[in-house]
Amino acid sequence: MSFGEIIIILVVAILVLGPDKLPEAIVQIAKILKALKKNIDDAKSSIEKEIRINDLKEEAKKYKDEFSSTNQNIRKKLSFEEFDDLKKDILEKTKVDLTFDSRENSSSNNLSGQNLTPNEKPKLTSLDEKMEKQDV
């Protein structure tokens, strides 16, 4: 609107309403415009909130789907039965032979004295025999 158009509107308003009612009409028009502007701003803010909420929902859904797919991959890779089988395999493969009577080891490593020939068995002497040998 140009300045000339505004003056024409004011002149017509003065002629139609008169000088007594014109200030009240201007106040009413200002209140209506203020309420209209407030309603428009509220609508804009609620639309922006809805847009942000939708964005957050989409992002949350994306993370949920990613988490679910990762969780499914983990479950597919290692179920409890597979875990038990894996545990059994590991335990079977890591058994340690703690016996001293191993046929694979040489007789010098055999600390129990079993499976030795009589010549290989160590002779045990009593304490008295040791004392006699020291006195001689």
Side-chain angles (χ1 to χ4, degrees):
M1 280 184 139
S2 68
F3 185 70
E5 293 173 346
I6 293 174
I7 290 180
I8 293 174
I9 292 173
L10 286 175
V11 170
V12 171
I14 291 173
L15 293 174
V16 173
L17 296 175
D20 295 334
K21 293 183 181 179
L22 185 61
E24 291 175 18
I26 293 176
V27 170
Q28 290 297 325
I29 292 173
K31 285 181 182 179
I32 291 171
L33 291 176
K34 186 176 179 183
L36 185 63
K37 183 180 177 187
K38 182 181 176 191
N39 287 337
I40 291 172
D41 289 343
D42 289 343
K44 281 182 183 178
S45 66
S46 66
I47 290 171
E48 288 173 358
K49 285 180 185 177
E50 288 295 324
I51 291 171
R52 277 188 261 140
I53 288 171
N54 285 338
D55 290 344
L56 290 174
K57 283 182 181 179
E58 289 175 10
E59 189 174 343
K61 186 177 185 275
K62 181 181 91 173
Y63 285 125
K64 180 182 175 187
D65 292 342
E66 185 178 325
F67 179 74
S68 295
S69 67
T70 303
N71 192 11
Q72 288 297 326
N73 288 340
I74 290 171
R75 286 181 187 252
K76 286 179 184 176
K77 287 181 182 176
L78 191 61
S79 67
F80 286 112
E81 294 87 21
E82 292 172 334
F83 181 73
D84 289 339
D85 292 342
L86 183 64
K87 183 178 170 184
K88 287 177 186 176
D89 289 344
I90 290 172
L91 289 175
E92 287 176 1
K93 289 179 181 177
T94 58
K95 283 186 179 177
V96 178
D97 187 14
L98 296 176
T99 61
F100 291 110
D101 187 26
S102 176
R103 304 258 183 221
E104 296 170 1
N105 294 339
S106 65
S107 62
S108 63
N109 291 337
N110 192 336
L111 300 177
S112 66
Q114 297 175 349
N115 299 326
L116 294 177
T117 62
N119 294 338
E120 292 177 331
K121 287 190 178 180
K123 293 185 179 180
L124 299 177
T125 58
S126 68
L127 187 59
D128 294 334
E129 291 176 4
K130 285 184 182 178
M131 297 292 279
E132 288 176 8
K133 286 182 183 177
Q134 287 179 356
D135 288 339
V136 174

